Amino acid sequence: MLGLNKLGKTANRLVSTFETKVREGQQQLEKLLGDTGVMDHAKISTVSEMSDAYRAMAKDLLLNPWRFVGAEMDLARKHAALGSYTISRLTGLEKEPVAPADIDDRRFNAEEWHKYLPFDVLHQAYLINSRAFLDWVENMQGIPPAGQEQMLFYARQLTSALAPSNFLATNPEALKITWERKGMNLVDGGRQFIDDFRQNPKLFNVGMTDRSAFEVGKNLATTPGKVVFQNELIQLIQYTPSTETVSKRPLLIVPPWINKFYILDLTAKNSFIQWLVDQGQTVFIISWRNPGPALRDKGWDDYMVEGPLAAMDAVTAATGEEQMNLLGYCIGGTLLGSTLAWLKKKGKDPVVSATYLTSLLDFSDPGGIGVFINEHSIRGIERMLDKKGYLDGRAMAFTFNLLRENELFWSFWTNSYLKGQKPSAFDLLYWNTDGTNLPAKMHSFYLREMYLNNRLVQPDSLTLAGESINLAEIEVPSFFLSARQDHIAKWKSTYKGALVHGGDVHFVLSGSGHIAGVINPPYKEKYGYWTSETMNSNPDEWLESAEEHAGSWWPHWLEWIQPYAGGQVTARVPGDGKLAALEDAPGSYVRVTAAEAAK
């Protein structure tokens, strides 16, 4: 017992000394990076958080030596098994791999990783070591869930970055290509790297698609229409009808401004907007401006007043209709809920139905991005916002890519720069890299009041444009569409938000994720969806009792919205109402890149 006490005291002294030295080094590094201008406050904050995470891991190791011994013994057993596997292969015997890659891990699928013994052993040793490290972090004790998720995230970034597939000398696929092409793949990869760097000065992002293959307005966002209204934050597009008659009540779409609206209007056959037009809807959509430092003081209130509220007035002017249906996607749905609650306080009722597509109202479980939601991170982001006046959309895209780093970063790194393969032309990935900036005031409010403090679902906790809001007071019938594999707006979180929403609520769960679960045209007959006539407090119980349907949710939504369509009228041509056509769709705001807006 005395020996254990002495060991504990020694461990605590080591931890104290270790923490002091690391903290001193961290402070010196942050000061150096800040003073030299190498990194902004947001990046320094990330470095600091990573240091904190790795320090916590080392501290746990020192304070739990017996757990460390047990983990080391288990690791030794697995490496011994790998040694036995190696001997068997050297003697010509076939044996099952000791550490096969996961089914969805495509890094080591190529034949070369298994055909050649050194690379077979190398990648299995990597998998054994990385899994042991991640298991260690996952089983750390006394760590709050949020802190543990953050440490797992940074531990995963480290293990993913060190994968042998990311380096030429340890990647047999890349070495084979280098031999066959006499090194020209490295020349092509170098050119691709330089091109990617030029496309993103000061904010390097690996290229994900052939950018030369796409042009907004030419082969993306091609549904015919006109811009009929604009202000400092939005352009409003009215689409040209393709049917002789249309629903009397128009449909206004509030898309996210974290990305550009044409995710709903990619190629014609996959376009949700074109499909809506073909179903006889008079469709309007907001195209958000890509902001730079001049719009730093635009807040959530401004996005509501100059966004959906201004757009609703414009829709009424263009069509003569006082009432309409609204649809919000992602953060556009969050703004839609805020707007409906504000309108209720004002005693106004221009909206007869509301549709929410993968939209968070309750932020208690923010999904993968939760690893960045803490006071320390947000303070660092706010210091950067205060300095620059905006969050660069390219930095945000890189952050989201790290939530699935092997699929959305390292795979492109390997293919482009080691193998010299030019990225394929993929419209969705082009859209994903066409980022948008976020004004300082709005983004700070969004992170603090929505994500960190979760105040949107708290009655009368938020005040917007002079009115406190309460989602429970909303009486507008609503349709909530969530996606089962969504890692950005987790479906159980969106379900919780739907429970808070007042009025008649219809909840639908789609297959797939945040994008494919929404952009799922009927002709594909993919994914399916679940519905139920009632909602209870438990989402798992809801899913157990829900009815599964094959195919796209789009026709189901169209059936749901028919009672709110208001009958049929002669199709409306953009520019024929009180609002003149200003320019052809998709307008000029959507064409501005994040880098251009930042100038």
Side-chain angles (χ1 to χ4, degrees):
M1 182 64 72
L2 290 174
L4 288 176
N5 287 336
K6 186 175 181 180
L7 178 62
K9 291 178 181 178
T10 301
N12 280 317
R13 283 198 301 272
L14 287 171
V15 167
S16 179
T17 302
F18 173 76
E19 285 190 314
T20 300
K21 294 299 183 183
V22 170
R23 193 177 295 111
E24 289 174 355
Q26 181 176 315
Q27 290 170 350
Q28 292 174 2
L29 178 62
E30 291 180 9
K31 185 177 187 302
L32 174 65
L33 294 175
D35 290 345
T36 58
V38 173
M39 300 178 79
D40 60 31
H41 289 295
K43 296 188 182 74
I44 291 173
S45 176
T46 300
V47 170
S48 177
E49 285 182 15
M50 292 178 71
S51 299
D52 289 342
Y54 296 137
R55 185 172 74 243
M57 296 173 200
K59 178 180 177 181
D60 182 77
L61 185 151
L62 290 171
L63 289 176
N64 296 278
W66 298 117
R67 190 162 75 87
F68 174 70
V69 171
E72 281 293 298
M73 291 179 64
D74 183 62
L75 188 62
R77 283 195 295 269
K78 290 177 180 176
H79 276 288
L82 182 60
S84 175
Y85 171 86
T86 305
I87 293 172
S88 296
R89 282 209 56 186
L90 285 172
T91 57
L93 297 176
E94 290 296 326
K95 197 172 183 181
E96 289 295 316
V98 175
D102 294 334
I103 295 176
D104 58 349
D105 186 351
R106 294 177 290 182
R107 292 174 295 177
F108 309 112
N109 279 356
E111 179 188 5
E112 289 80 8
W113 288 104
H114 312 280
K115 180 179 180 181
Y116 303 109
L117 182 59
F119 296 107
D120 188 9
V121 173
L122 176 65
H123 94 269
Q124 288 194 62
Y126 161 77
L127 290 172
I128 290 171
N129 292 333
S130 61
R131 287 167 180 170
F133 179 50
L134 293 175
D135 286 344
W136 171 276
V137 175
E138 190 171 8
N139 292 316
M140 286 174 61
Q141 299 172 358
I143 307 295
Q148 193 163 47
E149 286 181 9
Q150 189 178 53
M151 281 189 284
L152 269 172
F153 172 80
Y154 288 123
R156 203 183 71 232
Q157 300 309 312
L158 179 62
T159 58
S160 295
L162 294 176
S165 53
N166 298 335
F167 305 95
L168 177 64
T170 53
N171 187 322
E173 295 177 84
L175 288 173
K176 180 181 178 183
I177 293 171
T178 302
W179 175 263
E180 292 173 345
R181 296 194 58 197
K182 297 180 174 58
M184 287 306 298
N185 57 305
L186 302 180
V187 175
D188 292 341
R191 289 172 180 160
Q192 184 67 36
F193 180 88
I194 293 171
D195 182 57
D196 290 340
F197 185 83
R198 287 173 176 169
Q199 289 285 336
N200 297 282
K202 299 182 181 179
L203 280 168
F204 174 76
N205 280 344
V206 62
M208 301 175 74
T209 188
D210 180 4
R211 288 180 288 265
S212 65
F214 299 102
E215 183 180 339
V216 175
K218 184 176 181 180
N219 55 1
L220 297 173
T222 58
T223 301
K226 303 287 184 181
V227 174
V228 295
F229 171 81
Q230 72 179 43
N231 59 27
E232 199 171 27
L233 271 182
I234 72 166
Q235 286 189 323
L236 183 67
I237 299 170
Q238 179 181 357
Y239 288 98
T240 303
S242 62
T243 56
E244 292 184 1
T245 62
V246 294
S247 297
K248 183 175 186 290
R249 289 173 178 150
L251 174 69
L252 170 62
I253 300 175
V254 185
W257 57 91
I258 289 177
N259 299 101
K260 293 184 177 179
F261 80 85
Y262 65 88
I263 183 60
L264 298 171
D265 190 26
L266 290 172
T267 56
K269 67 177 183 177
N270 294 328
S271 170
F272 184 53
I273 291 174
Q274 183 65 66
W275 183 83
L276 290 170
V277 171
D278 291 342
Q279 307 311 307
Q281 296 288 326
T282 300
V283 181
F284 292 80
I285 195 168
I286 291 172
S287 173
W288 298 98
R289 187 172 184 178
N290 205 339
L295 297 181
R296 64 180 302 141
D297 293 324
K298 293 291 184 182
W300 192 267
D301 303 54
D302 300 298
Y303 269 74
M304 180 181 74
V305 172
E306 298 179 46
L309 291 177
M312 282 189 278
D313 289 340
V315 169
T316 296
T319 64
E321 294 297 327
E322 297 287 342
Q323 292 189 311
M324 63 200 72
N325 299 293
L326 261 65
L327 182 152
Y329 187 6
C330 190
I331 191 176
T334 308
L335 183 64
L336 172 57
S338 305
T339 304
L340 293 179
W342 185 88
L343 287 168
K344 179 61 180 178
K345 288 287 188 181
K346 287 291 189 181
K348 299 179 179 180
D349 60 347
V351 182
V352 294
S353 82
T355 299
Y356 297 87
L357 306 182
T358 60
S359 300
L360 286 172
L361 300 179
D362 186 310
F363 289 78
S364 56
D365 185 357
I369 199 173
V371 297
F372 304 108
I373 303 302
N374 57 74
E375 184 65 36
H376 184 69
S377 290
I378 292 176
R379 278 204 308 269
I381 292 171
E382 287 175 335
R383 288 194 295 269
M384 181 271 293
L385 291 172
D386 185 60
K387 180 180 178 181
K388 298 179 68 174
Y390 65 97
L391 177 70
D392 195 304
R394 295 168 295 168
M396 184 167 53
F398 179 74
T399 299
F400 275 99
N401 288 346
L402 289 185
L403 298 177
R404 295 163 58 194
E405 72 284 352
N406 286 323
E407 294 176 57
L408 298 179
F409 184 84
W410 290 113
S411 64
F412 292 98
W413 171 280
T414 301
N415 290 333
S416 295
Y417 308 144
L418 300 188
K419 300 179 184 178
Q421 298 171 356
K422 188 174 182 178
S424 59
F426 189 12
D427 54 2
L428 181 60
L429 290 179
Y430 179 89
W431 166 84
N432 191 53
T433 58
D434 188 12
T436 56
N437 304 326
L438 301 176
K441 184 178 179 181
M442 187 286 303
H443 193 52
S444 176
F445 177 92
Y446 182 51
L447 290 178
R448 279 199 171 276
E449 306 304 345
M450 306 293 183
Y451 274 104
L452 187 62
N453 298 325
N454 195 23
R455 291 178 63 188
L456 183 58
V457 292
Q458 301 171 28
D460 298 307
S461 180
L462 287 180
T463 298
L464 300 177
E467 296 287 348
S468 62
I469 62 171
N470 183 354
L471 297 179
E473 294 178 350
I474 298 171
E475 297 178 348
V476 175
S478 58
F479 181 106
F480 278 79
L481 185 281
S482 296
R484 195 168 183 178
Q485 284 82 45
D486 194 339
H487 67 287
I488 296 173
K490 296 170 73 172
W491 84 266
K492 293 180 183 180
S493 297
T494 61
Y495 188 92
K496 290 174 68 175
L499 289 174
V500 175
H501 197 282
D504 180 36
V505 176
H506 182 60
F507 189 87
V508 175
L509 182 62
S510 170
S512 197
H514 193 70
I515 302 300
V518 173
I519 311 304
N520 183 25
Y523 81 88
K524 288 187 175 181
E525 299 182 354
K526 293 178 66 175
Y527 305 132
Y529 61 96
W530 290 261
T531 64
S532 177
E533 294 301 320
T534 59
M535 294 184 68
N536 56 43
S537 60
N538 189 312
D540 291 315
E541 292 178 2
W542 177 90
L543 183 57
E544 287 180 7
S545 63
E547 181 182 358
E548 184 175 0
H549 308 268
S552 171
W553 61 272
W554 293 9
H556 177 75
W557 172 86
L558 188 66
E559 181 181 350
W560 175 85
I561 206 172
Q562 286 308 309
Y564 312 109
Q568 293 287 301
V569 297
T570 302
R572 308 169 175 110
V573 177
D576 281 0
K578 293 182 179 179
L579 297 182
L582 304 179
E583 60 177 309
D584 290 336
S588 53
Y589 280 14
V590 73
R591 300 177 193 273
V592 178
T593 67
E596 291 169 343
K599 292 179 181 178

